[in-house]
Amino acid sequence: MLTRRFHAAAALILVALHAPHLAAQEPARCDDVAGFHRLDFWVGEWDVKVNGALAGTNTIEKILDGCAILEHWRGAGGQEGMSLFYFDRATDTWKQVWVTQTATAPGGVKEKTMIAPLPDGAVRFQGKIALSGGRHYLDRTTLSRLPDGRVRQVIATSIDDGATWRTQFDAIYERRS
């Protein structure tokens, strides 16, 4: 019992001695951490095309000194959506919160987590979308940098927990001049 108290007291003293040192350390700048650059290829002003036809425009910008990314989608039919992407340094992954003006409908709000950086530099995000009656579907987005600087975005859904996937949106992002 005395040994346990001694160890606990020693641990508290060590924390107290190091606390001022820990508090005095400057946090790393987001720009200096490699993980914060994983989505840099997607930053820009884009015309988004599906089968060659304009589906909308998308503005992807780094904000908060490079610590987050803001997406503003404008569909050709007038629909809008916005995402905030942020990098969780503790888990070395990006997360996304997507909101549209139809937030009360399934898929009008989505939260996704990057589940895989793919070998070709692409990234894949995935989330679970709740439906009524306790049901859900999986929603995933894959962003791939193409050799010519364009970006391909594929959004797919699964109603069987990932056994099969159905493509909902397959678009090419072309930089606006």
Side-chain angles (χ1 to χ4, degrees), residues 2-141:
L2 184 59
T3 304
R4 229 187 292 176
R5 284 186 190 163
F6 174 77
H7 287 290
L12 287 173
I13 290 169
L14 284 173
V15 168
L17 289 173
H18 286 87
H21 171 70
L22 294 174
Q25 289 181 343
E26 286 292 319
R29 290 182 44 237
C30 296
D31 231 20
D32 295 336
V33 178
F36 283 95
H37 293 281
R38 199 167 282 142
L39 298 177
D40 283 359
F41 69 92
W42 196 35
V43 173
E45 298 276 334
W46 302 93
D47 287 326
V48 182
K49 297 182 178 179
V50 174
N51 297 322
L54 185 67
T57 60
N58 213 347
T59 300
I60 314 296
E61 61 182 310
K62 290 185 103 167
I63 60 171
L64 304 172
D65 295 330
C67 294
I69 291 179
L70 182 66
E71 171 188 19
H72 190 165
W73 164 258
R74 291 175 190 90
Q79 59 283 55
E80 287 191 65
M82 294 185 79
S83 285
L84 179 68
F85 289 82
Y86 63 95
F87 182 68
D88 182 344
R89 202 168 165 198
T91 60
D92 192 36
T93 192
W94 280 88
K95 296 185 180 186
Q96 174 195 22
V97 178
W98 164 259
V99 181
T100 69
Q101 74 267 38
T102 59
T104 59
V109 173
K110 300 177 186 182
E111 293 185 29
K112 297 182 186 181
T113 300
M114 189 183 75
I115 58 168
L118 303 174
D120 59 357
V123 293
R124 178 168 289 154
F125 289 83
Q126 186 169 302
K128 187 185 285 189
I129 309 300
L131 298 169
S132 61
R135 297 174 303 128
H136 71 273
Y137 67 92
L138 297 179
D139 185 288
R140 77 176 180 196
T141 300

Side-chain angles (χ1 to χ4, degrees), residues 152-169:
R152 181 178 182 201
Q153 180 184 49
V154 177
I155 300 174
T157 57
S158 174
I159 58 172
D160 56 12
D161 285 324
T164 59
W165 291 91
R166 182 172 177 210
T167 299
Q168 303 295 330
F169 187 74

